[in-house]
Amino acid sequence: MVVYLIGAGPGDADLITLKAVKALNKADVVLYDYLANEDILAHAPETAERIYVGKKAGEHYKTQDEINELIIKQAQSHENVVRLKGGDPFVFGRGGEEILALMEHDIKFEVIPGVTSAVGAPTSLGLPVTHRGVATSFTVVTGHEDPTKPESQVHWDYTADTLIILMGIGNIKENTAQIMKYRSADTPVCAIESGTLPNQNLVFGTLGDISDKKINTPAILIIGDVVSMYKDIYNYQGD
């Protein structure tokens, strides 16, 4: 028995890796997330069982412990189990927690990386997170920490030229207020809704006003001068 922990990519079903497709082709069961494009499930055999274990903002279908237990249970009764996660398994995907659970039960696993939305979504638009003379570094940070933590690990004083926030729309007002302690309120911001998908949409603003704009989830925030450069290159006339 083996569990394949697979990153499904940023959204577009065509952006999954060839190695991931090969693993799906032989799956006996697939446990998949909310952010994993369901079109990707077509790569699994028709006989493969498909189990939804997704989580999204404000609505948890199963807890992480329940998911871990289900993966173990399926692995103990099937030869090839696929755990399909949106983006990359190790970029705020709790892939490490699932691997630790498998290791505790001596279950063989293989991790297949995916394109994280942090880079895949802006790149698909032609928005570079780094650019010579504009940005030489970027930081990816969660905008939604585990509320049970005794204290926050996010301090918002990051010095990278580009700041990319995942899962941060629900806390956007609080997060941007914290960032403005270290960056100007005029710093350009771009929210990318449903990146790489047909309903993809952009919302532009600044640190000072982006929280006042309507942004639909799932969405990521790109903060920094690369946003202004992108608008200049494409003559984007959005708000």
Side-chain angles (χ1 to χ4, degrees):
M1 59 184 174
V2 60
V3 174
Y4 296 94
L5 189 62
I6 296 176
D12 185 341
D14 289 340
L15 294 177
I16 192 168
T17 66
L18 180 58
K19 189 169 186 178
V21 169
K22 290 178 178 178
L24 279 163
N25 286 166
K26 58 185 179 183
D28 298 310
V29 59
V30 181
L31 298 93
Y32 66 101
D33 275 352
Y34 167 70
L35 290 178
N37 191 319
E38 291 194 25
D39 290 344
I40 293 172
L41 297 176
H43 293 296
E46 291 185 5
T47 55
E49 183 179 3
R50 292 156 171 80
I51 303 174
Y52 174 67
V53 294
K55 295 184 289 185
K56 61 181 178 179
E59 179 184 329
H60 283 197
Y61 184 75
K62 288 185 181 298
T63 67
Q64 188 60 52
D65 286 342
E66 289 172 334
I67 292 172
N68 293 349
E69 291 173 6
L70 185 55
I71 296 171
I72 292 165
K73 179 181 178 181
Q74 295 299 321
Q76 291 172 336
S77 57
H78 295 92
E79 286 299 313
N80 296 295
V81 175
V82 166
R83 173 69 174 104
L84 185 64
K85 305 171 76 69
D88 182 272
F90 288 169
V91 181
F92 307 126
R94 297 195 173 185
E97 296 176 43
E98 293 175 4
I99 282 178
L100 288 173
L102 292 171
M103 291 175 66
E104 288 176 3
H105 290 78
D106 295 319
I107 295 172
K108 182 180 178 182
F109 63 87
E110 180 178 348
V111 182
I112 300 176
V115 178
T116 172
S117 62
V119 176
T123 297
S124 70
L125 292 164
L127 195 169
V129 297
T130 64
H131 187 83
R132 186 169 59 175
V134 179
T136 60
S137 58
F138 68 93
T139 291
V140 182
V141 60
T142 179
H144 179 78
E145 288 187 275
D146 183 347
T148 64
K149 284 183 178 180
E151 61 180 294
S152 173
Q153 290 178 265
V154 179
H155 301 295
W156 300 113
D157 56 346
Y158 303 104
T159 58
D161 296 315
T162 305
L163 184 60
I164 303 168
I165 303 177
L166 306 186
M167 304 178 294
I169 302 306
N171 298 325
I172 189 171
K173 186 174 290 291
E174 296 87 347
N175 292 344
T176 52
Q178 289 297 317
I179 298 169
M180 282 188 286
K181 294 179 180 179
Y182 308 98
R183 301 187 186 219
S184 168
D186 295 328
T187 303
V189 179
C190 175
I192 305 175
E193 303 174 345
S194 300
T196 76
L197 295 174
N199 60 330
Q200 178 175 265
N201 184 55
L202 304 181
V203 179
F204 290 101
T206 65
L207 277 176
D209 66 16
I210 193 68
S211 64
D212 297 325
K213 299 178 182 290
K214 179 175 174 54
I215 302 172
N216 298 307
T217 58
I220 71 172
L221 292 179
I222 312 294
I223 301 170
D225 290 339
V226 291
V227 174
S228 292
M229 188 199 73
Y230 171 79
K231 292 179 71 174
D232 290 343
I233 290 175
Y234 293 95
N235 295 314
Y236 201 94
Q237 300 300 314
D239 57 4

